[in-house]
Amino acid sequence: AQSVSQHNHHVILSEAASLELGCNYSYGGTVNLFWYVQYPGQHLQLLLKYFSGDPLVKGIKGFEAEFIKSKFSFNLRKPSVQWSDTAEYFCAVTASGSARQLTFGSGTQLTVLP
Amino acid sequence: DTEVTQTPKHLVMGMTNKKSLKCEQHMGHRAMYWYKQKAKKPPELMFVYSYEKLSINESVPSRFSPECPNSSLLNLHLHALQPEDSALYLCASSQERTYGNTIYFGEGSWLTVV
């Protein structure tokens, strides 16, 4: 079974700082990778996803992520964060043959200080 | 805005009550899901329906009873719940593919058991 690790549990940044949130997965086969965001008191929203092709994927709100297969990583980046990016960020993965079973990482709470 | 709608948004129920959570999607998706999310934790999969048939039950206690009346609707019937069942209950849907599924979440129903 696949698993996902997010090593940063809480990240605090000032506005305009650059962001990189780590995500590593363990699974030997083909995976689909996702980043979801959950703003305070709100539902999960899809930020971006990777299925195949260009390993650098761009999502909404200026976020991007890079799939590095050799490192089993799918890190989330944003060049300049805003106060409104304060939220919980979840990395998630589905494995080939288990496309309905979305496995989440433990989440990273991002706090952006104005 | 999410295209998965859930009602009610908030529900307070006693331990002897019977209530239901409802979910609806009109994206033509044939897989529908119930997740449970506790504060500051990732969502946990409870049930998956595929083509209106229960395909995954993650060892959920029988006090939670799912129902899929048709391809657009998903219910979660609640009976004799415990205070520790208080959580955000998320409905989700996706196309039914073996690869390249994106799972879309509703806004959730906040459940408090008193």
Side-chain angles (χ1 to χ4, degrees):
Chain A
Q2 64 270 28
S3 66
V4 181
S5 296
Q6 293 180 246
H7 302 294
N8 310 108
H9 296 296
H10 194 180
V11 172
I12 302 173
L13 296 172
S14 298
E15 275 195 316
S18 64
L19 170 72
E20 181 160 2
L21 300 182
C23 172
N24 289 91
Y25 67 92
S26 65
Y27 183 73
T30 305
V31 293
N32 295 156
L33 295 156
F34 307 84
W35 276 98
Y36 288 88
V37 62
Q38 190 168 32
Y39 298 102
Q42 294 192 26
H43 64 288
L44 281 164
Q45 299 177 41
L46 181 67
L47 268 182
L48 48 78
K49 61 188 177 185
Y50 174 79
F51 290 164
S52 63
D54 188 344
L56 184 63
V57 292
K58 295 190 184 300
I60 60 171
K61 303 179 190 281
F63 286 91
E64 64 178 32
E66 185 175 13
F67 171 52
I68 303 179
K69 189 174 181 179
S70 60
K71 295 185 177 180
F72 297 89
S73 69
F74 190 56
N75 292 352
L76 182 70
R77 300 195 292 249
K78 186 172 185 179
S80 175
V81 294
Q82 301 172 313
W83 176 79
S84 57
D85 293 324
T86 295
E88 188 87 20
Y89 292 80
F90 292 100
C91 182
V93 61
T94 60
S96 59
S98 302
R100 292 183 249 120
Q101 294 193 270
L102 189 62
T103 300
F104 286 90
S106 56
T108 297
Q109 172 64 47
L110 172 66
T111 301
V112 180
L113 304 175
Chain B
D1 288 337
T2 180
E3 295 183 62
V4 179
T5 57
Q6 292 186 240
T7 56
K9 296 277 191 288
H10 298 272
L11 176 64
V12 179
M13 62 184 290
M15 290 189 284
T16 58
N17 290 160
K18 284 185 181 181
K19 297 285 185 183
S20 297
L21 305 180
K22 298 185 183 300
C23 174
E24 187 170 9
Q25 59 88 13
H26 292 290
M27 294 182 280
H29 290 167
R30 301 312 298 269
M32 295 187 76
Y33 311 74
W34 281 113
Y35 284 81
K36 174 183 178 180
Q37 187 180 21
K38 301 285 267 185
K40 302 295 185 184
K41 298 291 185 183
E44 299 173 3
L45 182 63
M46 300 175 73
F47 303 104
V48 181
Y49 273 82
S50 173
Y51 292 94
E52 295 107 71
K53 293 191 187 320
L54 184 64
S55 65
I56 297 175
N57 176 342
E58 293 286 6
S59 303
V60 178
S62 59
R63 57 185 184 270
F64 295 92
S65 175
E67 178 196 19
C68 189
N70 60 52
S71 60
S72 301
L73 294 174
L74 185 66
N75 299 323
L76 186 63
H77 302 300
L78 314 170
H79 175 52
L81 296 193
Q82 303 297 310
E84 58 265 29
D85 296 321
S86 298
L88 177 65
Y89 288 84
L90 294 164
C91 177
S93 71
S94 74
Q95 293 176 324
E96 190 52 294
R97 294 179 182 157
T98 56
Y99 182 81
N101 262 349
T102 300
I103 296 175
Y104 295 94
F105 289 85
E107 293 189 359
S109 293
W110 292 92
L111 173 67
T112 303
V113 181
V114 297

